[in-house]
Amino acid sequence: MAALGWLTPRRRSATARSVLAGEASAEAARKTAQAEAPPFAEAPDPTSDGPDAARSIARAEAARTEAAEAPQAPPEPEFPVPGDDLAAAFFDLDNTVMQGAAIFHFGRGLYKREFFQRRELARFAWQQAWFRLAGVEDPEHMQDARDSALSIVKGHRVSELMSIGEEIYDEYMAERIWPGTRALAQAHLDAGQKVWLVTAAPVETATIIARRLGLTGALGTVAESVDGVYTGRLVGEPLHGPAKAEAVRALAGAEGLDLDRCAAYSDSHNDIPMLSLVGHPYAINPDTKLRKHARAHDWRLRDYRTGRKAVKVGVPAAAGVGAIAGGTAAAIALHRRRR
């Protein structure tokens, strides 16, 4: 898995290295997407069965009834627009699509396979616990995780880490997908649009997650490999902050997309450069800085962590009921874990 590289999340404009990282990520994403047609999504339908699902459906129906009885504002234009092939959607991964950080889940799986020692696992566990509680990235934690991951994967074959990554997804990641965000992504797919993950996680890890969710592909950090073996170096820098925006810009240019018609979703203020590129930015489970920025710029917000509505809630029309039900199910599950 490409070095699991994530760099210190400092505010900065794009540099030559971030442009290189973005272009390398876009190239890798297009090659992977063209090489294989994604199978059907394996993520379970949160409204399919079980008592929690039944309660979620009931709450969704109640919400829909309440909305129907309330004074109706003028309807917004349908979004996403069906058949608009100049539009696409870009989703951040950590804490937007998935609870927690992919790098820490991956590290846990590597420890289980004896890639490193217990003391390193303890550091991974502490960093993940902090991330889950705070909901934001800590610069020192992410720098430490990046350096540790680079040393761990150096000398291993790309194919080996890809195979292990598939197993780790099933073990630690599949159950942590936010159903509400998954419904938003599905709305874009149902409208005939491409949907891409955009993350500082290794492009191989991100590609596995995208494939398992039935998405188009993924933009992620690209690690250097020679003859299929990781060298322990990155191409450019981690896909973080401005580098994400550069990757989206490069992919949009290669795919012939109109960014004003595209949508982007993220939880972090670090992704404001990416969100600002598109015509339809969404703050999902936003941190404090992003929530403040979104309110100031009249961006749509959605929070699936507690079930509460943000000040301004905007959900693509095609995902309305699914997103509400998914968000309710996620809130119930999170509440039960905390008890």
Side-chain angles (χ1 to χ4, degrees), residues 60-293:
E61 290 296 332
R64 185 167 58 181
T65 299
E66 180 183 349
E69 294 174 351
Q72 297 298 308
E76 295 185 3
E78 184 174 7
F79 184 80
V81 180
D84 186 358
D85 57 4
L86 295 182
F90 302 94
F91 284 79
D92 169 55
L93 176 58
D94 295 346
N95 218 35
T96 300
V97 171
M98 181 176 68
Q99 300 173 47
I103 182 175
F104 300 128
H105 297 315
F106 187 65
R108 185 180 175 189
L110 291 183
Y111 170 77
K112 178 180 178 181
R113 291 160 177 81
E114 300 183 347
F115 271 67
F116 52 89
Q117 303 302 312
R118 183 180 296 274
R119 65 178 179 275
E120 293 171 296
L121 175 66
R123 185 166 67 249
F124 269 104
W126 160 244
Q127 291 167 342
Q128 172 64 359
W130 193 95
F131 184 85
R132 288 288 297 275
L133 291 172
V136 295
E137 299 162 334
D138 178 87
E140 293 184 5
H141 289 179
M142 303 311 280
Q143 178 71 56
D144 187 34
R146 168 187 178 258
D147 293 341
S148 297
L150 282 170
S151 64
I152 289 169
V153 303
K154 182 179 179 180
H156 287 276
R157 299 198 64 82
V158 176
S159 58
E160 175 191 9
L161 274 294
M162 283 291 288
S163 178
I164 291 174
E166 295 279 0
E167 298 171 2
I168 292 175
Y169 176 85
D170 290 326
E171 293 169 3
Y172 302 116
M173 300 182 186
E175 64 180 17
R176 291 177 169 84
I177 301 299
W178 289 110
T181 312
R182 178 69 187 86
L184 296 177
Q186 189 61 49
H188 286 278
L189 293 171
D190 291 344
Q193 297 176 5
K194 293 183 177 181
V195 177
W196 304 85
L197 290 181
V198 189
T199 174
V203 67
E204 291 88 350
T205 303
T207 297
I208 290 170
I209 297 171
R211 183 191 304 125
R212 301 298 286 273
L213 294 177
L215 309 183
T216 308
L219 297 158
T221 296
V222 178
E224 180 185 79
S225 63
V226 176
D227 296 328
V229 178
Y230 289 118
T231 66
R233 295 187 294 270
L234 300 181
V235 177
E237 65 180 17
L239 202 71
H240 188 275
K244 278 190 180 182
E246 293 302 322
V248 169
R249 195 192 313 275
L251 184 65
E255 294 274 311
L257 301 173
D258 182 348
L259 286 171
D260 286 338
R261 293 154 78 166
C262 292
Y265 302 78
S266 178
D267 72 295
S268 174
H269 69 280
N270 294 306
D271 289 338
I272 288 175
M274 176 181 76
L275 294 169
S276 299
L277 272 183
V278 301
H280 302 277
Y282 284 75
I284 304 295
N285 305 329
D287 61 29
T288 301
K289 290 182 179 179
L290 178 58
R291 184 180 293 274
K292 180 178 180 180
H293 186 92

Side-chain angles (χ1 to χ4, degrees), residues 305 329-339:
R305 294 167 298 187
I332 292 172
L334 187 58
H335 174 70
R336 287 181 172 174
R337 290 194 199 99
R338 288 174 173 170
R339 291 196 321 192

